[in-house]
Amino acid sequence: MAKVIFYEKTGCRNNTKQKTLLTAAGHQVEAHNILEEKWTKERLRWFFNNRPVADWFNRSAPRIKSGEINPEQIDAETALNLMLEEPLLIRRPLIQVGYRGEIGFDTQVIENWIGLTPKDQTLQEVSQKLMSTDLQGCAHNHEHHHH
């Protein structure tokens, strides 16, 4: 069992599903609102590891969808400044376990890292259902975006 520190946008359905998967696998989830956290560049940068800057962004953020911000054309410094200003731009969730941080919810990465296998049979069915849905975006009725 791991203690998972989970930075989410409170009320985001997919973040809720992701927390359910973690809990079902026996982890202890400590959720924080990503929008209310006091971020610093160093702290955010740490979660991104060596991923390309374009991967740091929440693609469904309004300023990205409108084309005002193009993640492909932004350098790390600018990206971090924008995110401190507007945490909605940060790809969610940010996950920390011990001395490692990850960004986004890649079930394979998490399985290999702390394990996502549910503890009992009923939970396994729930998890499979959840995993078959798209866990990357954020499902809201007013947001219709398809990848």
Side-chain angles (χ1 to χ4, degrees):
M1 179 199 117
K3 178 166 185 254
V4 181
I5 302 175
F6 190 95
Y7 295 96
E8 60 173 348
K9 178 182 165 195
T10 311
C12 167
R13 279 187 216 148
N14 270 344
N15 285 163
T16 304
K17 286 181 196 167
Q18 293 156 357
K19 283 186 297 190
T20 306
L21 287 174
L22 291 165
T23 311
H27 302 302
Q28 182 194 341
V29 179
E30 182 191 302
H32 295 270
N33 187 341
I34 200 168
L35 305 179
E36 287 168 9
E37 198 63 27
K38 298 281 171 259
W39 296 109
T40 62
K41 285 188 201 175
E42 296 70 31
R43 221 176 130 211
L44 266 182
R45 184 72 192 83
W46 179 81
F47 280 97
F48 303 150
N49 302 311
N50 43 16
R51 291 171 179 265
V53 176
D55 285 0
W56 303 357
F57 283 91
N58 165 18
R59 297 288 175 162
S60 53
R63 290 174 72 188
I64 293 175
K65 286 206 296 203
S66 72
E68 183 194 333
I69 293 173
N70 178 352
E72 266 75 24
Q73 295 174 343
I74 285 182
D75 60 88
E77 187 66 13
T78 312
L80 291 166
N81 284 328
L82 283 166
M83 287 171 183
L84 290 186
E85 222 172 88
E86 193 177 344
L88 198 57
L89 294 169
I90 306 165
R91 181 171 164 202
R92 300 186 295 269
L94 299 181
I95 299 175
Q96 179 181 349
V97 177
Y99 294 103
R100 176 172 166 191
E102 284 291 341
I103 165 184
F105 199 88
D106 181 328
T107 48
Q108 203 48 62
V109 169
I110 294 167
E111 171 64 74
N112 297 342
W113 174 21
I114 54 173
L116 261 188
T117 312
K119 293 281 166 262
D120 66 47
Q121 213 42 58
T122 11
L123 289 172
Q124 273 175 5
E125 288 162 29
V126 175
S127 284
Q128 275 159 1
K129 274 202 196 85
L130 285 173
M131 283 202 204
S132 64
T133 57
D134 170 29
L135 287 169
Q136 286 299 329
C138 190
H140 283 304
N141 298 336
H142 62 269
E143 283 184 18
H144 299 291
H145 59 269
H146 299 287
H147 303 296

